[in-house]
Amino acid sequence: MHAPTHRERDHLRFLACGAVDDGKSTLIGRLMAETGSIPDDQLANLVHLSKKFGTTGGNLDYALLLDGLEAEREQGITIDVAYRYFGTPKRAFIVADTPGHEQYTRNMVTGASNAEFAMLLVDAKAGLTKQTLRHSRILSLLGIRRILLAVNKMDLVDCAEAPFAAITEDFRKFVSQLSFDQVDAIPIVARDGDNIVHPSKRMPWYKGPTVLAHLETVPVSTHQREEAARFHVQSVMRTDTGGRGYAGYVSSGAFKKGDQIIVARSGRKSTISRIYVYPSEIDSVETGQAATIELADQVDIGRGDIFAPVDAVPEVADQFAAHVVWLNDNPMLPGRTYSLRIGTHTVAATITALKYGTDIETGEHAAVSTLAINDIGFCNLATTEPIAFDPYAKNRETGAFILVDRQTGATSGAGMADFPLYRASNLVKQNYEIDKGYRAKMKGQRAAVVWFTGLPSAGKSTVLNLVEQKLSRRGIHTYALDGDNLRLGLNRDLGFTEADRVENVRRAGEVARLMVDAGLVVLCAFVSPFRNERRSVRERHDAGEFIEVFVDTPLATCEARDPKGLYAKARAGKAFHVTGIDSPYEPPEHPEIHLRTETGTPDAMAEQVIADLARMGIIAR
């Protein structure tokens, strides 16, 4: 077996995809077997597995070579992405066998993101399915430009030409709206080996190449060689010369000693003085290589920076537009903050606008308020600091990113950057001589946000009202922001869905921030049910400026109070999205102040808040 490396040019990275049971694993297994790429011990194990789990009546079940997980063997499906290597004298291959089930689309996206060619399988009897269309659209979105439609199980349609022609015609009509440069089709029977390595005697009407012959001759993508050079900095270290070395990797292009480079985000220029690839110093590095680079000048550089040629600088922006494939069971919530990882850079990012969702069958754009798992949409994002990127269409490595749920750490979405929102670069924060510190000093106080959170009817507004009265008697300048009051004006357009609740808290947090800037002690009473949004508001303030107060009242007590009748309506099925009933509440994990309302009166709770604010130095003791 020939083991390809990154230095080899004559190799092809591709993925096999399609709906479940379309025969992906069987096809790849047969390709490996018939090219002599399976070691004897694995072949012997395959004989054993075929007898135990096989679905081919005692014959070798090639799918079992790739379905490595026990659950996959028992269910006969592919769950994880399985990478396999095989080769012929003409070419080496790295193939990703990706799952067909819709719920594992994220793994299919993972496999496609590293591929330069795709083999899409279709069941000849079932024809094009919704999953076929979904995978086709994702392949196009991820920049794959050549695709092979392998129409499998031709024996189920008597190996006749007409069904094959009908499927390929339908497929070509569908993909005509997508961005493929070349689409080919081959009729096969993966289980029996028809048109896999050898031409099928059962389909004499087909005169084209076999699957293997096609794979051996399809042009290898040259996009990485055409893309501008990019070096991603992963860490900074001291070298043996005492200088600063920037360790990282080349995602595209090449760099050599003497090259003038620019650090994308800062715009600082310098010249490459030395390049190390352990244990030696070398003259140049190219795509796929890890290295440590020294520069001729002392430049402030950190993890996440990108080196680029001075005449091919990536975009730098804190707002940009992107296509996103949503991969999380929890829906996308515009206004929520996620972690965005692009290259070696991680930054907080908010989806500021979901422009539209894409119908996977028709490609039509539709106005949507959220994306569910496996949905595709186009949105605007804002990051907390500028990032360097390229449009995905120009560079797949520096244009691809993922969104991560900050609470669970789960990958939420795969994104393809499209273009920067240049209007963001026209916005420059104006810093005035009279700032929040000065304004607070004029009032003889310290500005802060005191954020009350808890279930509806927990007593937030009651305690807040008493706290504000006590602060007022101390001469403290305050303002109260209440959830209901904001919904009568600024947030009148918002409902009570999760997406609307996220936006409600985002807007309230921004208003609170402005009032802190005015030097006030801002008292906020919002259910604010999600930790993520409360964390986002906290991050918009300086350390020690955001005080979270958890008004901890059991749900039964809240329901007994129920002055608005919300709980009663929810229990009667007449109201929906009521927190605590059919909408979740995530209590604070480490609030600065924890009020257990069943252990004291509202006035005692207010006195506790006053005492804690004094202890924290927000107000005088």
Side-chain angles (χ1 to χ4, degrees), residues 349-389:
T350 302
I351 297 162
T352 54
L354 177 54
K355 310 296 284 187
Y356 59 79
T358 301
D359 187 301
I360 64 166
E361 295 185 36
T362 66
E364 293 180 349
H365 300 165
V368 294
S369 59
T370 186
L371 295 180
I373 186 169
N374 300 325
D375 283 351
I376 300 172
F378 188 72
C379 57
N380 292 346
L381 296 102
T383 54
T384 52
E385 59 185 73
I387 63 170
F389 68 94

Side-chain angles (χ1 to χ4, degrees), residues 159-212:
C159 293
E161 183 177 8
F164 172 75
I167 289 173
T168 54
E169 183 180 354
D170 289 345
F171 186 72
R172 290 183 191 282
K173 285 180 181 177
F174 173 71
V175 299
S176 64
Q177 60 180 301
L178 304 181
S179 302
F180 298 121
D181 295 333
Q182 181 178 331
V183 177
D184 297 289
I186 299 177
I188 64 172
V189 182
R191 185 192 62 187
D192 300 334
D194 293 70
N195 287 332
I196 307 301
V197 174
H198 306 289
S200 171
K201 295 180 180 178
R202 295 188 286 182
M203 291 178 272
W205 48 266
Y206 175 70
K207 304 299 182 185
T210 63
V211 169
L212 183 61

Side-chain angles (χ1 to χ4, degrees), residues 366-605:
V368 294
S369 59
T370 186
L371 295 180
I373 186 169
N374 300 325
D375 283 351
I376 300 172
F378 188 72
C379 57
N380 292 346
L381 296 102
T383 54
T384 52
E385 59 185 73
I387 63 170
F389 68 94
D390 289 293
Y392 187 83
K394 291 184 177 180
N395 191 316
R396 294 174 67 185
E397 291 291 331
T398 48
F401 62 89
I402 62 170
L403 294 171
V404 177
D405 187 303
R406 298 199 303 172
Q407 294 297 322
T408 66
T411 299
S412 294
M416 285 64 69
D418 200 342
F419 55 84
L421 298 171
Y422 282 110
R423 65 177 181 272
S425 62
N426 297 327
L427 302 176
V428 179
K429 183 181 179 182
Q430 297 295 321
N431 294 309
Y432 295 99
E433 293 297 325
I434 305 300
D435 59 12
K436 67 179 178 184
Y438 186 87
R439 298 186 189 101
K441 186 177 180 181
M442 288 177 64
K443 297 177 176 65
Q445 61 187 51
R446 177 181 165 189
V449 171
V450 184
W451 189 279
F452 293 76
T453 176
L455 289 168
S457 303
K460 300 181 294 299
S461 297
T462 301
V463 178
L464 182 153
N465 186 39
L466 292 169
V467 169
E468 186 168 32
Q469 292 177 46
K470 294 176 186 295
L471 290 176
S472 178
R473 286 196 285 271
R474 288 172 172 245
I476 305 296
H477 295 259
T478 64
Y479 193 85
L481 290 176
D482 181 88
D484 283 0
N485 291 350
L486 259 63
R487 284 183 180 277
L488 292 172
L490 177 66
N491 293 346
R492 181 189 293 272
D493 59 318
L494 300 178
F496 292 89
T497 64
E498 288 194 10
D500 282 350
R501 288 178 184 276
V502 168
E503 177 61 12
N504 181 53
V505 172
R506 189 194 69 79
R507 292 183 193 178
E510 287 299 313
V511 173
R513 189 177 62 83
L514 290 172
M515 290 189 168
V516 165
D517 197 49
L520 298 173
V521 172
V522 190
L523 305 169
C524 303
F526 295 90
V527 173
S528 47
F530 305 120
R531 295 192 187 108
N532 200 325
E533 278 55 63
R534 298 195 299 268
R535 174 181 171 183
S536 295
V537 176
R538 179 188 292 274
E539 291 173 346
R540 296 284 285 161
H541 294 84
D542 293 339
E545 202 172 71
F546 181 89
I547 312 300
E548 189 173 38
V549 182
F550 178 29
V551 183
D552 187 357
T553 305
L555 176 61
T557 303
C558 295
E559 286 198 67
R561 295 172 179 168
D562 202 11
K564 302 175 185 175
L566 285 176
Y567 290 112
K569 291 179 181 177
R571 294 294 187 191
K574 297 178 180 178
F576 302 96
H577 308 303
V578 175
T579 304
I581 303 298
D582 60 347
S583 186
Y585 178 76
E586 299 169 354
E589 293 178 313
H590 305 290
E592 278 78 5
I593 302 174
H594 192 160
L595 304 179
R596 294 176 174 82
T597 59
E598 291 198 313
T599 63
T601 65
D603 190 70
M605 299 294 104

Side-chain angles (χ1 to χ4, degrees), residues 69-385:
L69 302 176
E70 191 71 15
E72 291 179 318
R73 289 172 181 162
E74 292 175 349
Q75 298 177 47
I77 63 174
T78 300
I79 295 175
D80 203 353
V81 182
Y83 290 96
R84 291 293 184 273
Y85 301 82
F86 67 98
T88 69
K90 295 181 179 179
R91 175 171 281 177
F93 304 96
I94 304 171
V95 55
D97 179 24
T98 62
H101 279 73
E102 184 175 340
Q103 64 264 40
Y104 302 121
T105 297
R106 59 186 299 167
N107 295 338
M108 178 267 174
V109 172
T110 300
S113 65
N114 295 313
E116 51 199 335
F117 174 78
M119 185 163 58
L120 178 62
L121 276 82
V122 176
D123 185 315
K125 194 168 185 179
L128 304 184
T129 65
K130 191 173 182 178
Q131 193 69 332
T132 309
L133 307 185
R134 182 190 305 280
H135 282 189
S136 300
R137 196 167 293 282
I138 291 174
L139 292 173
S140 173
L141 197 60
L142 289 173
I144 292 177
R145 295 294 172 256
R146 295 187 176 90
I147 186 170
L148 169 62
L149 182 72
V151 183
N152 193 21
K153 304 182 183 180
M154 286 295 296
D155 54 319
L156 299 182
V157 293
D158 299 326
C159 293
E161 183 177 8
F164 172 75
I167 289 173
T168 54
E169 183 180 354
D170 289 345
F171 186 72
R172 290 183 191 282
K173 285 180 181 177
F174 173 71
V175 299
S176 64
Q177 60 180 301
L178 304 181
S179 302
F180 298 121
D181 295 333
Q182 181 178 331
V183 177
D184 297 289
I186 299 177
I188 64 172
V189 182
R191 185 192 62 187
D192 300 334
D194 293 70
N195 287 332
I196 307 301
V197 174
H198 306 289
S200 171
K201 295 180 180 178
R202 295 188 286 182
M203 291 178 272
W205 48 266
Y206 175 70
K207 304 299 182 185
T210 63
V211 169
L212 183 61
H214 186 82
L215 293 174
E216 287 181 326
T217 56
V218 66
V220 174
S221 171
T222 58
H223 64 82
Q224 284 193 324
R225 279 169 272 174
E226 297 168 349
E227 292 165 350
R230 300 288 184 252
F231 180 84
H232 299 253
V233 176
Q234 293 177 303
S235 62
V236 183
M237 61 181 66
R238 287 290 176 189
T239 63
D240 56 0
T241 63
R244 299 180 74 194
Y246 305 101
Y249 65 95
V250 181
S251 66
S252 57
F255 293 89
K256 65 180 185 300
K257 285 197 295 187
D259 279 352
Q260 190 177 26
I261 61 95
I262 187 168
V263 183
R265 285 193 295 166
S266 68
R268 294 289 303 272
K269 297 177 182 177
S270 187
T271 303
I272 295 176
S273 58
R274 303 179 72 184
I275 301 174
Y276 303 92
V277 173
Y278 184 81
S280 306
E281 181 176 348
I282 61 175
D283 294 329
S284 63
V285 283
E286 60 183 23
T287 301
Q289 280 188 283
T292 298
I293 289 178
E294 277 189 43
L295 300 179
D297 307 285
Q298 292 295 322
V299 182
D300 184 18
I301 296 169
R303 179 179 174 83
D305 274 318
I306 292 178
F307 296 169
V310 293
D311 59 351
V313 184
E315 305 283 357
V316 177
D318 61 1
Q319 293 187 44
F320 62 99
H323 296 276
V324 171
V325 181
W326 200 248
L327 304 172
N328 199 321
D329 289 331
N330 296 321
M332 169 195 281
L333 296 177
R336 169 162 288 182
T337 300
Y338 298 88
S339 291
L340 183 151
R341 296 178 185 168
I342 182 167
T344 57
H345 194 188
T346 299
V347 64
T350 302
I351 297 162
T352 54
L354 177 54
K355 310 296 284 187
Y356 59 79
T358 301
D359 187 301
I360 64 166
E361 295 185 36
T362 66
E364 293 180 349
H365 300 165
V368 294
S369 59
T370 186
L371 295 180
I373 186 169
N374 300 325
D375 283 351
I376 300 172
F378 188 72
C379 57
N380 292 346
L381 296 102
T383 54
T384 52
E385 59 185 73

